[in-house]
Amino acid sequence: MVAAITPVVVPGPAELAEAAARWTADRLRAAVAERGACHWALAGGETPRGCYRRLAQPPFGAQLPWARVFVTWSDERQVPLDDPASNYAMARAALLDHVPIPPEQVFPLVGDPTPALRRVPPDDGGWPRFDLIHLGLGEDGHAASLFPGDPALEEQRALVRAVVAVKPPPRRLTLTLPVLNAARAVLFMVQGAAKREALERVMRRDPALPASHVQPVDGELQFIVDTEALGR
Ligand code: 6PG
């Protein structure tokens, strides 16, 4: 039986950015303190932008051990990296251009990302075990670029799958469920009334929604949501 999900509920986007930044900073610091590095898969879409901007600001921007942080993405649109639709471009503008992460520790999810993913220390099953994975939630309950009914949801061997998504831009790469579920900590950031139904269904683990299948085998699952998304 999967433990019930108790989300952290905040009033709105600004408070979600703050809470997500603090949650992330705490786990980033702990990963570096305990294991000498933090391997982090960033989320795409719009919701995480506030959190990433907040992490570039005091006290996080100057205080966090960025030199020991390694980043990639939980999914990416197959567009040029300088295209405004690129998740890489969003994170660069909001965070990566403003903190001293060594460029050689930033791994865009492009081409064949497998070698970069294999740099992440594996779990006992050989899956890359990220310290942190950020995710948003689609209105249809997708997470990363794992969309309802997509065969990629069944992937049990590959680390990454190419998909054609209903959400534009259509051609994407996504981490697969075994990688998401190998993580030490997964954070869903969910805001806005448009996500209300999806969030309600994911919190009761409706199996029809891909996000319901994000259940870390040996890790923390956290939702930080605003009151609009929760429907209160
Ligand atoms: C993407 C994202 C996707 C996103 C959700 C929510 O590349 O589109 O990875 O999974 O997290 O669609 O998007 P918003 O945060 O923009 O609502």
Side-chain angles (χ1 to χ4, degrees), residues 82-199:
D82 61 356
D83 186 310
S86 156
N87 292 334
Y88 171 88
M90 185 275 273
R92 279 238 73 97
L95 175 60
L96 303 179
D97 286 346
H98 310 287
V99 293
I101 297 181
E104 65 272 19
Q105 295 174 199
V106 177
F107 300 94
L109 203 71
V110 293
D112 177 10
T114 303
L117 293 170
R118 288 292 181 203
R119 295 171 56 101
V120 179
D123 69 3
D124 295 345
W127 296 102
R129 181 162 167 75
F130 280 92
D131 296 291
L132 276 179
I133 295 184
H134 277 184
L135 294 170
L137 179 64
E139 294 178 29
D140 59 1
H142 74 259
S145 282
L146 295 167
F147 286 80
D150 194 306
L153 279 163
E154 309 308 320
E155 180 61 59
Q156 289 300 318
R157 295 173 60 84
L159 306 182
V160 184
R161 282 284 292 264
V163 301
V164 179
V166 293
K167 175 181 177 182
R171 292 178 58 249
R172 295 155 171 254
L173 289 180
T174 184
L175 296 185
T176 55
L177 276 174
V179 177
L180 301 181
N181 288 332
R184 293 178 186 274
V186 176
L187 172 64
F188 274 94
M189 291 172 268
V190 189
Q191 70 188 32
K195 306 296 177 73
R196 198 167 291 178
E197 181 193 342
L199 180 62

